[in-house]
Amino acid sequence: MADATAQTQALAKSASKLAPVGRFHSRAIRSGVSRIDWLDMVLICLFLIGMYTNYTIMVSAKVPFPSVPSGVAGFILLWRRRDLITPRAFAGFIIVVLLFLFSILCATDIRFLPRRFNGLIQLTYSLIIGYALFLTVTQASRRQFAGLFLGFALVILVGCLLEGHAGLRPLSDAVRNVLYSQGVYENDLRDVLFYKRVRPKFFASEPASVTFCYTLFTFLWVVVSPWRWKLVAYAGLFGLGLFAMPGPTLLLMLLLIFPYMLFLASRRAGRFDVGRLLMVACIGVIFFGAFVVFGQSLFAARLESIRSGDDPSFFYRVQGPALAGLDVMAHYPFAGAGLTGEPFIEKEITNVYLRSPFYSAGWQAVSLATDLVVNYFWLHWIFLGLVWGLIMMAALTVWLRVLGVPSFAFCWMVWAILGQAAGAYVGPSCWAVLFLAGAAAVFHQRPEKE
């Protein structure tokens, strides 16, 4: 009798442990949340370091292992959070991957299928580790999440100040020369022309990576932090960022306030509140005005260079990708060029660029097709076309809803804004932005229990 009672109690404990696994995932991430432990924090930090450095090794001549630290940390996090993977969430992931597979099978010219399949492998890897990051950070406390990303932003800020004003640059350059075999930014004369000084790299391959991560991490902090004066502090961090690491990417910090105000801050008890929406709209207008003023005053030389068609960096990141995306959707509206299909449309994109008034024939020719478009938002439409691009956005949106993300519009707008400063559509950073935005939305709508 005693043995039977002991077995019954053991089965009851096992059932209580397994019960959350089969429930809708939103319940799991909105209730019963405890602080993650030190190992999870270390692994998240390692993941963010991989995003920041984008350190990549080549498995073979044509197969890269992008953002190695992020990959290692992501797979360990996935194993540690395997009990949180619900059947619905796993089914959503499988459907998304299968749809991406069907998209490359529908793309024109079957000869490029091996390259597109290689891109699918990289994309699947990025989605897996991004999902693992989402599962882990949503189990943290709100204070942990906000403190982690504010801490990373402050480390970048202090590091850039030390590099620019305290003699850290030689060490940073030496480390960069060891870490990166290619893609290292060395155009310091251009920095002096536009910004009157050399921009800090702080162990990253290029200054754009520094400002991109600083912008992302600071924004995630302001979304999650419950502090009353966080917008004032956010404006202060923006100003300090302009001083420590000048660059137009930081202006995205001001644009990002719009999706936050519109889709999250305007909610009360999980629903839109009209009065609150009008109030936050006024704040959004103020930040947009600051975006225009700072853009015209602090980056006047850069803007004049853009207008005169003498800024290849801005063209390949913003202007050119938009032209290429519209052209591909016009000629290949159903399935685009296929994942990582830049070589398939390289000549067409080059011709579109040459016809643009913002393109200069005097620029040094780009050697790789992947360098023609450095913008993952427009790469989505270039790789998938209009039809499959909309299908995949719908599928990913459904998956986000299954994961319990309260505002998919917020996630996609944040993803699109930051896409103007980053490429590598199949890389981890692209999808980590979407998952981190989703996690921030979850925290913002989660009831305060701490």
Side-chain angles (χ1 to χ4, degrees):
M1 186 68 178
D3 292 341
T5 303
Q7 291 178 358
T8 303
Q9 292 176 347
L11 288 173
K13 289 182 179 179
S14 299
S16 64
K17 290 181 181 179
L18 293 174
V21 178
R23 295 174 186 169
F24 191 61
H25 189 62
S26 60
R27 296 179 183 176
I29 61 179
R30 293 185 185 183
S31 62
V33 177
S34 60
R35 293 170 62 87
I36 57 177
D37 59 25
W38 66 269
L39 180 56
D40 287 321
M41 293 291 284
V42 170
L43 292 171
I44 294 173
C45 290
L46 184 62
F47 193 107
L48 299 182
I49 290 172
M51 284 184 61
Y52 178 79
T53 61
N54 196 27
Y55 177 68
T56 300
I57 61 175
M58 298 301 297
V59 179
S60 66
K62 296 183 178 180
V63 180
F65 184 5
S67 299
V68 175
S70 297
V72 173
F75 283 114
I76 297 175
L77 289 174
L78 185 68
W79 176 255
R80 287 173 59 82
R81 293 289 175 269
R82 63 192 183 277
D83 290 341
L84 294 178
I85 302 175
T86 66
R88 290 171 63 102
F90 182 72
F93 166 74
I94 295 299
I95 290 172
V96 166
V97 174
L98 286 177
L99 287 175
F100 271 117
L101 173 61
F102 293 152
S103 75
I104 66 174
L105 295 176
C106 293
T108 305
D109 200 336
I110 199 70
R111 292 176 299 174
F112 289 88
L113 184 59
R115 177 180 175 87
R116 292 164 180 160
F117 187 75
N118 186 18
L120 177 64
I121 294 174
Q122 295 180 54
L123 177 62
T124 304
Y125 152 76
S126 299
L127 289 174
I128 289 173
I129 64 175
Y131 177 43
L133 179 66
F134 175 86
L135 288 176
T136 303
V137 296
T138 50
Q139 295 303 303
S141 70
R142 192 165 186 167
R143 185 181 300 275
Q144 278 183 313
F145 186 98
L148 175 66
F149 286 97
L150 178 61
F152 257 89
L154 292 177
V155 167
I156 294 174
L157 178 64
V158 173
C160 290
L161 289 172
L162 291 176
E163 183 172 326
H165 304 279
L168 186 63
R169 178 169 290 115
L171 176 61
S172 175
D173 290 342
V175 173
R176 290 169 60 240
N177 289 331
V178 173
L179 289 179
Y180 311 107
S181 59
Q182 60 182 3
V184 180
Y185 182 89
E186 298 291 354
N187 199 352
D188 292 342
L189 291 177
R190 176 175 173 272
D191 287 353
V192 174
L193 176 63
F194 287 146
Y195 312 109
K196 310 304 180 185
R197 57 194 171 101
V198 177
R199 289 184 294 170
K201 292 88 173 174
F202 191 52
F203 306 114
S205 59
E206 58 175 343
S209 297
V210 180
T211 51
F212 176 84
C213 288
Y214 180 78
T215 298
L216 173 62
F217 298 158
T218 309
F219 175 69
L220 291 172
W221 166 75
V222 82
V223 172
V224 174
S225 174
W227 188 29
R228 183 177 183 181
W229 301 102
K230 62 182 180 180
L231 287 179
V232 177
Y234 185 72
L237 290 171
F238 169 73
L240 290 172
L242 288 176
F243 174 76
M245 55 192 105
T249 302
L250 290 177
L251 294 177
L252 299 181
M253 290 180 67
L254 302 178
L255 285 183
L256 286 168
I257 290 298
F258 272 93
Y260 167 62
M261 290 293 178
L262 181 60
F263 298 113
L264 296 184
S266 59
R267 291 172 179 256
R268 188 185 298 273
R271 297 182 178 181
F272 280 109
D273 184 277
V274 176
R276 194 176 182 87
L277 177 61
L278 293 175
M279 180 185 69
V280 299
C282 294
I283 299 175
V285 170
I286 293 174
F287 273 86
F288 181 76
F291 169 81
V292 175
V293 171
F294 280 113
Q296 293 181 346
S297 59
L298 297 179
F299 304 107
R302 184 81 184 268
L303 288 174
E304 180 58 32
S305 177
I306 293 170
R307 294 191 191 102
S308 61
D310 194 26
D311 191 338
S313 176
F314 186 83
F315 183 86
Y316 288 124
R317 289 182 183 274
V318 180
Q319 295 168 305
L323 296 173
L326 295 174
D327 183 78
V328 171
M329 284 191 288
H331 289 86
Y332 307 99
F334 184 65
L339 290 177
T340 60
E342 296 98 337
F344 170 64
I345 53 168
E346 180 177 6
K347 293 182 180 179
E348 296 180 28
I349 292 180
T350 302
N351 291 332
V352 170
Y353 284 5
L354 290 173
R355 292 194 299 267
S356 171
F358 302 104
Y359 187 84
S360 174
W363 293 345
Q364 184 178 359
V366 175
S367 58
L368 297 175
T370 53
D371 294 333
L372 287 169
V373 179
V374 187
N375 185 311
Y376 66 65
F377 170 77
W378 284 108
L379 281 172
H380 175 84
W381 306 105
I382 291 172
F383 288 164
L384 299 172
L386 179 61
V387 175
W388 271 102
L390 292 174
I391 291 173
M392 292 314 308
M393 286 193 72
L396 287 163
T397 297
V398 172
W399 191 28
L400 289 175
R401 296 297 293 175
V402 170
L403 297 181
V405 175
S407 177
F408 63 86
F410 167 79
C411 299
W412 283 119
M413 188 171 287
V414 169
W415 182 81
I417 290 174
L418 288 171
Q420 308 309 307
Y425 178 80
V426 298
S429 294
C430 168
W431 299 104
V433 168
L434 188 67
F435 281 113
L436 287 173
V442 168
F443 274 105
H444 190 276
Q445 299 302 309
R446 177 184 290 169
E448 292 280 355
K449 291 185 179 181
E450 303 162 18

